[in-house]
Amino acid sequence: MSLPKATELPIGAVVTEPGSTRRYSTAGWRTLKPVIHDDRCVRCQLCWLYCPEGTIAEVRGVFKVGGKTYDVKYEIIYDHCKGCGICANECPTKAIEMVPEAP
Ligand code: SF4
Ligand code: SF4
């Protein structure tokens, strides 16, 4: 039996060629949405490292939070976040909360 190539699969299958998640939004899969509480973030980078969609951005700048100054902060690009919760699970300070999507 011969199997179809990735490019021959019907629409609806996940196309796996490099760069495809830039074109296909995975936000529609989400029932829970991660929200970063910046005041609890210690800038450990683990959420950025573990996100399977690469959808946590490391933003450079000067950010004053609760009397401290940081040169980086983390932001979620929601268009490509599928709501898996890995970031919240890995965050050592529980700075990421999974909240229900608005209906
Ligand atoms: S919920 Fe999953 S896909 Fe969304 S930012 Fe966190 S780790 Fe990435
Ligand atoms: S894992 Fe948590 S503490 Fe670490 S950078 Fe991400 S939000 Fe901040």
Side-chain angles (χ1 to χ4, degrees), residues 2-3 7 9 11-12 16 23 36 44 61 64 76 78 93 102-103:
S2 70
L3 296 172
T7 51
L9 291 171
I11 290 174
T16 56
R23 287 188 284 123
I36 298 178
C44 70
K64 294 187 186 301
I76 293 160
Y78 287 109
T93 60

Side-chain angles (χ1 to χ4, degrees), residues 36 40-47 74 90-93 95-96:
I36 298 178
R40 289 185 229 157
C41 174
V42 293
R43 278 65 181 168
C44 70
Q45 213 178 34
L46 287 177
C47 55
Y74 294 87
E90 296 301 329
C91 177
T93 60
I96 303 178

Side-chain angles (χ1 to χ4, degrees), residues 38 41-43 61-65 68-73:
D38 203 34
C41 174
V42 293
R43 278 65 181 168
V62 178
F63 306 102
K64 294 187 186 301
V65 184
K68 293 183 180 171
T69 304
Y70 297 100
D71 62 0
V72 65
K73 75 172 180 176

Side-chain angles (χ1 to χ4, degrees), residues 34 50-53 55-56 76 80-88 98:
Y50 278 103
C51 173
E53 296 298 324
T55 196
I56 298 180
I76 293 160
H80 303 292
C81 167
K82 60 189 177 188
C84 67
I86 290 173
C87 55
M98 299 300 291

